[in-house]
Amino acid sequence: MVGSSHEALHRIFQKGPALLTRALQRVLHVPFPEPHEIAALNVDLTETEPVERRVDTLLRAETDEGTYLLVVESQGKVDDRKRGSWPYYLSYLYEKYRCEPVLIVITQNSATARWAAQPIRLGFPGWHSLTVRPLVLGPDNVPVITDERQAEQDVPLAVLSAMTHGRGPQAAPILESLATALKTIDPDSAAVFVQFVDSCLADPQAKQMWRDLMTAIQYFWRHPLAEQVREEGREQGLEQGREEGRAQAKAEMVLHVLEWRGIPVPEHVCERVNTCDDPDQLELWAQRAVHATYAEDLFVEE
């Protein structure tokens, strides 16, 4: 029994599925291809089991022209599953926040960048129900910053340049200019940027060069407080003071990276990190903190 116009207006197409294609072709004059078969599917779209769907980074931008949601996805390689997940992300976010979502993809690979830049069109040729056009940042459009002055003027952009082009032939001058520019900003931010770059350098030679540069300016897995403690330890000849300084510095670095990325740190995580006196363990946690989704991810393999 049909009890409303809402129900009748769609159920007529369940009764005569071919009517829908005729309406498209003859009423809307849409060149929909003639189907060989039409089958009714279950209309219930409720997920029967929890499905985890998570974007890499989500930012809300308020502008004079309106509010936008910036969806940032880091893409390492071609993945055709994104044809489904990216449109889903944007539709879901618009429904939840009623703000215009903007998809931004960042990659270190030119081939992946070209693939990601291709519009995702859902529908049929000549009439697309949904089109997703990602904005892509990659080796072909992120500037190569090798000039120290330019790097100092915009340190975050210089960091992005190093992260994007770190595997290319210009890695050395990019890293050298960035190393100089990092001296001009506050040490805490510099230390976080150092780890971001280190995690993106796939080329062993470039990674070693970066670590050598950072060791020279005392930023690699370090904090200024640690240098102060180690200096005091050297003056007093106390090896224990130097070890405690290294552990304390790395513990602070782990927590600072999580805080900088906006990840809540429960008290039990903070206590476990601060009471750890193993520099190697703390260095591992510092590396995990760069990619962690939750603070507990530091200990995921333990």
Side-chain angles (χ1 to χ4, degrees):
M1 181 69 179
V2 177
S4 68
S5 59
H6 169 82
E7 193 172 12
L9 283 171
H10 70 81
R11 285 189 59 180
I12 187 174
F13 297 113
Q14 296 178 14
K15 182 67 175 178
L19 173 63
L20 184 57
T21 58
R22 291 201 299 274
L24 290 173
Q25 296 167 348
R26 301 178 187 179
V27 178
L28 297 178
H29 305 291
V30 172
F32 190 87
E34 192 67 31
H36 300 294
E37 181 181 358
I38 300 179
L41 303 178
N42 190 339
V43 298
D44 188 355
L45 304 183
T46 303
E47 298 285 1
T48 57
E49 297 181 0
V51 177
E52 181 176 339
R53 300 186 188 275
R54 190 187 306 275
V55 299
D56 290 336
T57 290
L58 180 61
L59 306 172
R60 183 181 183 128
E62 304 282 353
T63 74
D64 292 339
E65 299 178 0
T67 302
Y68 297 92
L69 296 176
L70 305 180
V71 183
V72 184
E73 285 281 283
S74 175
Q75 195 66 29
K77 61 182 180 180
V78 173
D79 184 356
D80 288 331
R81 292 176 301 178
K82 297 299 185 180
R83 285 182 52 82
S85 58
W86 284 344
Y88 173 87
Y89 295 162
L90 301 182
S91 299
Y92 173 83
L93 290 170
Y94 179 78
E95 176 64 20
K96 181 176 182 178
Y97 295 100
R98 290 296 169 177
C99 299
E100 299 292 342
V102 179
L103 175 61
I104 304 167
V105 180
I106 180 169
T107 180
Q108 296 175 292
N109 184 275
S110 294
T112 303
R114 290 191 294 269
W115 162 80
Q118 297 176 4
I120 300 173
R121 297 186 174 94
L122 304 182
F124 60 90
W127 194 273
H128 302 114
S129 300
L130 177 64
T131 301
V132 175
R133 299 181 61 192
L135 297 170
V136 181
L137 294 171
D140 297 330
N141 56 13
V142 172
V144 176
I145 299 180
T146 58
D147 181 75
E148 294 179 4
R149 294 182 181 177
Q150 186 179 0
E152 292 174 1
Q153 291 173 358
D154 194 337
V155 175
L157 183 60
V159 173
L160 180 62
S161 177
M163 294 167 64
T164 306
H165 300 284
R167 64 178 62 186
Q170 294 179 292
I174 293 175
L175 297 178
E176 289 172 351
S177 64
L178 176 59
T180 301
L182 287 176
K183 300 176 184 178
T184 66
I185 65 175
D186 70 277
D188 286 346
S189 296
V192 175
F193 286 148
V194 166
Q195 295 188 53
F196 284 172
V197 173
D198 186 81
S199 66
C200 288
L201 294 175
D203 179 64
Q205 185 175 359
K207 183 182 287 285
Q208 186 58 52
M209 175 186 176
W210 179 242
R211 294 187 174 186
D212 290 343
L213 287 169
M214 294 303 98
T215 300
I217 61 175
Q218 303 174 349
Y219 274 142
F220 184 64
W221 311 132
R222 285 168 168 77
H223 187 280
L225 180 59
E227 292 303 311
Q228 178 182 343
V229 173
R230 284 197 292 273
E231 183 62 28
E232 292 173 355
R234 282 190 289 269
E235 292 176 357
Q236 299 173 10
L238 299 177
E239 179 62 25
Q240 182 180 359
R242 293 196 292 270
E243 289 297 326
E244 290 176 354
R246 282 192 285 270
Q248 182 181 2
K250 291 181 179 179
E252 291 186 3
M253 178 60 63
V254 172
L255 298 176
H256 182 75
V257 171
L258 293 174
E259 178 184 359
W260 191 86
R261 296 183 61 225
I263 297 176
V265 182
E267 184 175 348
H268 71 277
V269 173
C270 185
E271 181 179 0
R272 182 171 177 181
V273 172
N274 281 326
T275 56
C276 179
D277 58 3
D278 182 353
D280 292 335
Q281 180 65 70
L282 288 165
E283 181 171 323
L284 176 61
W285 289 347
Q287 296 179 48
R288 289 179 182 170
V290 177
H291 306 285
T293 301
Y294 302 102
E296 291 81 357
D297 291 347
L298 299 179
F299 324 122
V300 66
E301 296 179 3
E302 300 170 23

